[in-house]
Amino acid sequence: MPSQERMNQVVHKVLLVGVVVSMALIGIGLFLTATTPDAGQEWIGLGSLWEALMAFEPVALVELGLLVLIATPLLRILTALVIFTTERDYRFILIALFVLGMVSLAVVIDI
Amino acid sequence: MTALGILVVALVAGVLGALLGLGGGIIVIPGLTLALGFGMQEAIGASLMGVIASSTGAAVRYVKQGYVNVRLGMLLETATTTGAIIGALVAVYLDQDLLAILFSIVLVYGAYHMLTRREKVYRPEELEAESQLLDLSCTYVDQKNGEEVCYGVKRYRTGLLASLGAGGLSGLLGVGGGVIKVPVMNACMCVPMKAATATSNFMIGVTALAGAIIYVRYGYLDPILAGLTAMGVLGGAVVGSRLTNVADGGSIRIMFGVLLLAVAALMVLKGLGILEVV
């Protein structure tokens, strides 16, 4: 089935790039945290992450790596969604949108 | 040197996880809480990051080899993500000691699974697809003998229900939930073992992600702890997957099953406050 093969190839690339980039960021960040005297070790809120990155705070690099790691499976759903759309596979478009909806719910839900 | 301790725990979890087909959470959590004295919620948050790293790493390989059924995975993910959000929201409000006791139940189930696991092998005529609403049939080539295996998926409603439970477990206790999904996919849904293991691994990234976001938002993710865990587990998994051909699966499984029972007993003692940890 050619559609299955195309899906596998694209998804493979997305996952591979995500893992390599996130591990590189986390690795460099951890190394710098260990070698920089009094480097911060607390979680930086996402609002101030960009500033912390610009200020070369090592822990911000670790956090960015963790965010890339979290984003990798997410990007994989988006990729599948695009492929389902080009194939006009409506049932699976709905399924992919539902999974994305649940992830978005995790971001906003408050109890 | 706490950092070194975390790295050792994560590496061991990654190696054993790859050898035994687990995500590693079942080892990371007792390691971090019993041996290093972290709180349950912190350990679960870090374990989820480790689980995302190792399952994504494994999925890279499985997708390339064609063992993953992407459509089946996405369908079951609708249930695992729902379960993960519910589980994580419950966990952030639960008492640490109660979480430790709940975790010990998972360990006992994991031990049972290790000691008794049976693989259901299907004949080709049993694998034919039933006509149904969704076409989930899939094909892969078995790398061992070069045979092409084509299978249709059955009873996906049972699969969705089991996935809801696996997702809940993942969000609540920081494990991948493969111990539930793999046997159900293999025994109930007629998915061959290789495809079931690969598809389960593929799904864990998205499942753990839904739970991990809740832990981030409630402030239970320590970046250094999570970073060390993610790197250690993935590094260990890379080494472990190279050892699978060298090590004897059967005897490792039995030793590990017994080890899990012992750890379960320690977690209960900790939960009841009888055992003081560092």
Side-chain angles (χ1 to χ4, degrees):
Chain A
M1 210 195 304
S3 123
Q4 194 184 318
E5 263 169 42
R6 187 164 66 121
M7 176 75 88
N8 284 351
Q9 276 171 8
V10 180
V11 169
H12 167 76
K13 283 205 186 78
V14 169
L15 295 179
L16 185 63
V17 171
V19 168
V20 171
V21 170
S22 71
M23 286 304 135
L25 287 169
I26 293 173
I28 297 168
L30 286 173
F31 178 75
L32 291 177
T33 311
T35 49
T36 313
D38 0 282
Q41 306 211 341
E42 298 297 309
W43 180 268
I44 301 165
L46 297 189
S48 21
L49 184 60
W50 182 247
E51 273 172 53
L53 277 173
M54 289 297 102
F56 280 110
E57 282 198 42
V59 74
L61 221 52
V62 178
E63 246 181 83
L64 185 67
L66 291 172
L67 291 177
V68 173
L69 184 62
I70 290 184
T72 303
L74 199 62
L75 207 60
R76 185 263 281 169
I77 308 175
L78 286 172
T79 314
L81 181 63
V82 170
I83 295 179
F84 292 142
T85 310
T86 58
E87 289 172 356
R88 295 174 193 275
D89 192 341
Y90 296 111
R91 287 185 183 127
F92 277 94
I93 293 175
L94 276 180
I95 287 171
L97 285 175
F98 182 91
V99 177
L100 280 178
M102 286 317 289
V103 174
S104 323
L105 184 65
V107 177
V108 295
I109 198 168
D110 226 333
I111 57 167
Chain B
M1 272 314 276
T2 319
L4 200 64
I6 300 167
L7 208 56
V8 169
V9 165
L11 274 169
V12 170
V15 173
L16 279 175
L19 282 178
L20 299 161
L22 302 166
I26 216 164
I27 306 159
V28 168
I29 290 177
L32 291 182
T33 55
L34 291 176
L36 298 172
F38 284 98
M40 269 306 272
Q41 276 93 345
E42 279 175 303
I44 294 171
S47 168
L48 282 173
M49 299 309 293
V51 163
I52 296 178
S54 71
S55 79
T56 309
V60 168
R61 200 173 65 245
Y62 288 137
V63 168
K64 189 167 193 196
Q65 292 169 338
Y67 289 138
V68 176
N69 186 336
V70 175
R71 282 186 159 76
L72 173 63
M74 303 259 324
L75 174 67
L76 297 183
E77 276 165 8
T78 60
T80 59
T81 48
T82 310
I85 291 174
I86 298 170
L89 286 174
V90 171
V92 291
Y93 289 102
L94 273 193
D95 182 61
Q96 302 241 19
D97 296 337
L98 187 58
L99 279 175
I101 293 172
L102 286 176
F103 191 80
S104 67
I105 299 174
V106 177
L107 288 170
V108 172
Y109 178 78
Y112 167 78
H113 180 67
M114 280 297 129
L115 296 172
T116 62
R117 188 174 83 156
R118 303 257 182 282
E119 175 178 352
K120 199 167 172 188
V121 182
Y122 294 99
R123 290 186 308 265
E125 63 270 22
E126 287 177 300
L127 290 173
E128 267 168 39
E130 290 167 350
S131 63
Q132 52 186 15
L133 192 63
L134 292 168
D135 180 18
L136 298 168
S137 58
C138 195
T139 307
Y140 69 88
V141 177
D142 194 324
Q143 312 248 326
K144 226 176 206 165
N145 50 24
E147 270 175 44
E148 192 180 83
V149 182
C150 182
Y151 61 94
V153 177
K154 290 172 187 145
R155 288 187 283 277
Y156 62 83
R157 286 185 192 85
T158 313
L160 281 171
L161 204 63
S163 300
L164 190 66
L169 210 61
S170 170
L172 184 65
L173 298 170
V175 295
V179 279
I180 297 182
K181 281 177 295 176
V182 175
V184 168
M185 274 194 260
N186 182 230
C188 301
M189 304 176 78
C190 293
V191 178
M193 198 61 171
K194 272 199 177 127
T197 312
T199 306
S200 168
N201 253 308
F202 176 75
M203 286 158 61
I204 286 169
V206 173
T207 310
L209 147 77
I213 292 175
I214 307 264
Y215 285 87
V216 169
R217 291 186 43 227
Y218 282 79
Y220 282 118
L221 203 68
D222 175 330
I224 304 295
L225 174 61
L228 283 168
T229 308
M231 289 212 73
V233 175
L234 183 68
V238 170
V239 175
S241 64
R242 301 240 180 318
L243 294 175
T244 25
N245 300 328
V246 186
D248 170 25
S251 56
I252 298 180
R253 299 187 79 82
I254 292 170
M255 276 174 2
F256 189 66
V258 174
L259 178 73
L260 284 186
L261 287 176
V263 176
L266 289 178
M267 291 292 280
V268 171
L269 292 177
K270 178 183 187 280
L272 295 175
I274 298 167
L275 178 79
E276 284 297 317
V277 289
V278 267

